[in-house]
Amino acid sequence: MDFSLAWQKLNQIGRDLMLALPNIVFGLVVFVGFILLARGVRALVQRVTRSKKNNHNLSVLLSRLAYVAMLVLGVLVTVTIILPGFTPASLVSALGVGGIAIGFAFKDIFQNFLAGILLLLTEPFKIGDQIKYKDFEGTVEDIQTRATAIKTYDGRRVIIPNAELFTNAVTVNTAYDKRRLQYDVGIGYGDDIARARELMLEAMRETAGVLQDPAPDALVMDLAESSVNIRARWWVDPPRQADVLDAQDKVLEAIKNKLSKNGIDLPFPTRQILFHDQTEATDGNRRQQREGWPGGQGDVPPARAAGGPPAPAQPAEPPQ
């Protein structure tokens, strides 16, 4: 077996490697220099962004982007030094249609990445804010380039893609310092509305945690089937969920105790059922209380089942 051809190939590879060795060493030195430069740029970006804007997450994001950009530039320069025939233009042309296919494959990733950057730049909400998105509500823990993590009030973590948060409606409960709460309280139809309103306002003003400015108010909202509904509204500060629940608990307890102490009825839903016995001799006699008609005067004839005589025909009386 003749190994001369293989030996010649190995010799050629060795000679080419020795010729390229200075370029490889110089390229590695340049790449190490770019790594050190990237670290310096990252530290500089962190210092500048933190001094201009109090947003730790945005500072970390921009510093990482600067670091990765310097590393990519370092790789391109290093490859150009080691392979003199290589240029960035040749890399782009080599990718060709493959680059387009990669772009379509990673479309969602790029979309979430850009949405994350825009969320960090525009800041519709920040880390520590309490937000509500669809069925999820909680405290923002982290805003990454791909997704945002929130901690729900019952201690679970939800990961939401940034593209959804950027393109859909999000409720930020802690966007402002104050928040208004409300609750409908039903009183009886026989109660004095003005007196009940006065008692509810007094109860809210006496409750700890309820702001006096803006002042609480009480509005009649509905004449319901069993009650007159009055909406109690009050403001709290801060508007975090724990403070909201605590204020609502105290306000509702104070209103209930205040109304009950002063004789204001808090009715529960009631339903009246009228039985219509077709065997009675009084069918059609509106002198009795029947189906909402007022009861008339006079004796009530007995039912046919009791052996009583048939009732004489009498004209029906209209409601009073």
Side-chain angles (χ1 to χ4, degrees), residues 84-276:
F86 173 83
T87 61
S90 62
L91 175 62
V92 173
S93 61
L95 290 175
V97 179
I100 299 176
I102 293 174
F104 278 107
F106 291 92
K107 178 177 69 69
D108 292 337
I109 296 178
F110 294 149
Q111 184 179 8
N112 288 322
F113 176 77
L114 293 176
I117 295 177
L118 292 175
L119 285 175
L120 291 169
L121 291 175
T122 58
E123 288 189 335
F125 53 83
K126 302 185 291 294
I127 295 177
D129 276 337
Q130 293 184 343
I131 66 173
K132 180 178 181 181
Y133 171 71
K134 293 184 178 179
D135 295 332
F136 306 111
E137 185 173 1
T139 304
V140 178
E141 283 190 320
D142 192 14
I143 306 175
Q144 302 175 355
T145 54
R146 187 192 69 84
T148 295
I150 66 173
K151 181 180 180 181
T152 60
Y153 301 135
D154 56 355
R156 295 179 293 173
R157 174 175 292 178
V158 180
I159 307 299
I160 305 175
N162 288 330
E164 294 191 19
L165 293 176
F166 187 75
T167 56
N168 294 293
V170 178
T171 302
V172 184
N173 293 328
T174 53
Y176 303 103
D177 295 334
K178 303 173 184 177
R179 179 178 172 184
R180 191 186 69 189
L181 308 178
Q182 63 184 33
Y183 193 87
D184 289 350
V185 179
I187 66 171
Y189 271 91
D191 294 313
D192 187 350
I193 295 178
R195 176 60 177 162
R197 191 203 312 267
E198 179 184 349
L199 292 172
M200 291 172 63
L201 292 174
E202 182 179 335
M204 287 186 285
R205 285 193 290 264
E206 294 174 354
T207 303
V210 175
L211 298 180
Q212 304 303 317
D213 185 20
D217 57 6
L219 306 173
V220 178
M221 297 302 298
D222 188 19
L223 300 178
E225 295 181 355
S226 305
S227 63
V228 177
N229 294 337
I230 301 178
R231 179 165 298 173
R233 306 192 304 180
W234 67 96
W235 292 80
V236 295
D237 178 17
R240 305 191 69 82
Q241 182 70 7
D243 304 294
V244 167
L245 293 179
D246 182 64
Q248 179 170 296
D249 172 71
K250 294 178 179 178
V251 166
L252 295 185
E253 180 181 0
I255 290 177
K256 193 272 178 186
N257 293 337
K258 181 74 70 172
L259 294 179
S260 298
K261 182 178 179 180
N262 288 270
I264 301 297
D265 186 22
L266 298 174
F268 48 84
T270 59
R271 176 171 295 177
Q272 184 179 16
I273 300 177
L274 300 174
F275 293 96
H276 192 84

Side-chain angles (χ1 to χ4, degrees), residues 276-294:
H276 192 84
D277 190 351
Q278 298 296 328
T279 65
E280 291 184 358
T282 56
D283 283 346
N285 184 358
R286 298 306 178 185
R287 292 182 178 276
Q288 294 189 76
Q289 176 72 24
R290 185 180 300 280
E291 299 175 0
W293 288 68

